[in-house]
Amino acid sequence: MAPRQPLLPSFLYAPSKPGGAGGVPDGRGAGGVVAGSPSEPIFGQIKMFSPAYYAACGIGGAAACGLTHAAVTPMDVIKCNMQIDPAKYRSISSGFGIVLKEQGFRGFYRGWAPTFLGYSAQGAYKYGLYEVFKKKYSDMAGPEYAAQYKTLIYLAGSASAEVLADVVLCPMEAVKVRVQTQPGYAKGLRDGFPKMVRSEGYLGLLRGIVPLWGRQIPYTMMKFATYENIVEMAYKHLIPTPKDQTSKPVQLGVSFGSGYVAGVFCAAVSHPADNLVSFLNNAKGATVGDAVKNLGVWGLFTRGLPLRILMIGTLTGTQWVIYDAFKVMAGFPTTGGAPAAVRKEELTEGQASA
């Protein structure tokens, strides 16, 4: 059989030290699997799938989500206002003009503090627990079934992680929406949080948890499962060398490109629930019926969608490259490939015993 021809020219990639594909290194250290790195890891040597490994992944997730969501606050401000008041904010361009005229440049960064804190906490839980659940479900399935049903493992692991991650995100999301869509309500987190607690109680901060789950769980399932599979396809069809023999810059390029494509799918799947979250958090006593009546069924699916696709695509791609860059610095393999339980030697042993 003729060797497979790469779709990318060879000068764009270069072999590097093997570190393992699919999130699992090939070598085993004393007492367990140890993450390898071409340079000194920032945390020293940490065993893969140890509590320290999951904690480090949580730190990487916090950096990835907190920084990126805070950076796209201007787009988020326009998106939320288009969802809440479509009669006034008719388009993206007019929305930017209205905010600039009425609130000045500062208006574009309203709510950045609850955004940063909320999504940092959410990212820590989402990425850290995803690694936990992916490994747990892979071990439960066993090497053969983990390989056969890897997409189901990605979906189940990400959904399980997001259920808990949204509980820590919800209070900050509620404050963020109120600050961004009601000028004069509060200057930011410092006065917005206590004001909302006084008027609606602590439970009021969790009033949007169900629609938040409705938005974030499908979003995260699509985000992780699509990303993992796109990365796998990239190394199968675009790049001629195995992932563990590809240079780190190329791996991070794959992370961004795969993350951006995954983000487009995420935005489309979760957009109706995103409209509901914005509407319900904007006004006390608002219901799902009020949102449908105000936006219409078509508006629920399309209002603010182009801006959200741009925002989420960029945000998701950047999140994955930050997270994987952090994993590289920590001495871990980048994300993507077969589930954690799947190792060549395990599959070989399983086939031999069968």
Side-chain angles (χ1 to χ4, degrees):
M1 180 182 294
R4 177 170 58 87
Q5 294 298 317
L7 297 181
L8 294 178
S10 59
F11 67 83
L12 291 177
Y13 54 87
S16 62
K17 293 182 180 181
V24 179
D26 295 330
R28 292 178 182 269
V33 182
V34 178
S37 174
S39 58
E40 184 65 24
I42 58 177
F43 296 123
Q45 290 283 28
I46 294 180
K47 293 180 182 179
M48 293 290 291
F49 315 123
S50 66
Y53 167 74
Y54 296 127
C57 289
I59 295 173
C65 291
L67 293 173
T68 52
H69 277 277
V72 297
T73 297
M75 286 190 284
D76 195 32
V77 168
I78 303 303
K79 175 189 70 68
C80 288
N81 280 286
M82 288 178 67
Q83 293 169 332
I84 298 304
D85 193 353
K88 180 178 180 180
Y89 297 86
R90 296 179 178 275
S91 66
I92 297 172
S93 58
S94 66
F96 274 99
I98 292 170
V99 171
L100 183 61
K101 180 180 179 180
E102 295 184 354
Q103 303 177 44
F105 186 75
R106 284 188 173 184
F108 293 116
Y109 288 92
R110 294 181 67 87
W112 74 267
T115 296
F116 176 73
L117 293 177
Y119 281 95
S120 292
Q122 186 229 28
Y125 277 75
K126 173 164 32 186
Y127 281 88
L129 289 178
Y130 172 68
E131 300 285 356
V132 172
F133 286 119
K134 183 170 71 167
K135 180 65 166 65
K136 180 67 174 178
Y137 296 155
S138 297
D139 288 344
M140 290 170 61
E144 184 176 352
Y145 287 115
Q148 185 176 355
Y149 299 107
K150 61 181 183 294
T151 299
L152 290 179
I153 289 173
Y154 302 147
L155 292 170
S158 56
S160 300
E162 190 62 37
V163 169
L164 299 174
D166 286 344
V167 175
V168 299
L169 168 64
C170 194
M172 293 295 101
E173 181 76 3
V175 176
K176 173 190 80 78
V177 171
R178 194 68 62 89
V179 170
Q180 289 179 342
T181 59
Q182 294 184 14
Y185 178 81
K187 293 181 179 180
L189 177 63
R190 183 177 299 179
D191 55 342
F193 185 87
K195 183 175 182 178
M196 198 166 181
V197 170
R198 285 195 301 269
S199 64
E200 302 179 34
Y202 285 102
L203 289 180
L205 296 171
L206 295 173
R207 187 162 55 89
I209 187 64
V210 173
L212 187 62
W213 278 331
R215 181 188 78 184
Q216 289 297 128
I217 292 176
Y219 165 88
T220 300
M221 292 171 71
M222 181 67 71
K223 173 181 179 177
F224 282 82
T226 304
Y227 175 81
E228 296 258 20
N229 281 289
I230 291 175
V231 169
E232 186 176 349
M233 288 188 289
Y235 288 105
K236 183 181 294 184
H237 301 293
L238 290 178
I239 301 172
T241 56
K243 176 183 170 183
D244 59 333
Q245 297 176 24
T246 305
S247 67
K248 296 303 181 184
V250 171
Q251 289 189 36
L252 295 178
V254 171
S255 296
F256 178 78
S258 302
Y260 197 100
V261 175
V264 173
F265 287 98
C266 292
V269 166
S270 61
H271 193 64
D274 183 62
N275 274 318
L276 288 177
V277 170
S278 296
F279 192 92
L280 293 178
N281 282 325
N282 178 63
K284 183 177 180 180
T287 66
V288 173
D290 295 332
V292 175
K293 182 179 179 180
N294 184 273
L295 296 174
V297 175
W298 178 250
L300 204 61
F301 281 84
T302 61
R303 191 71 190 174
L305 181 60
L307 182 60
R308 189 158 187 266
I309 286 177
L310 175 63
M311 184 180 81
I312 296 300
T314 304
L315 184 141
T316 305
T318 307
Q319 282 179 357
W320 276 117
V321 80
I322 291 175
Y323 180 64
D324 276 345
F326 184 87
K327 291 180 80 173
V328 168
M329 289 189 295
F332 309 140
T334 56
T335 312
V342 182
R343 309 177 197 272
K344 291 180 181 179
E345 59 267 32
E346 288 176 341
L347 287 175
T348 302
E349 292 171 4
Q351 292 168 353
S353 62

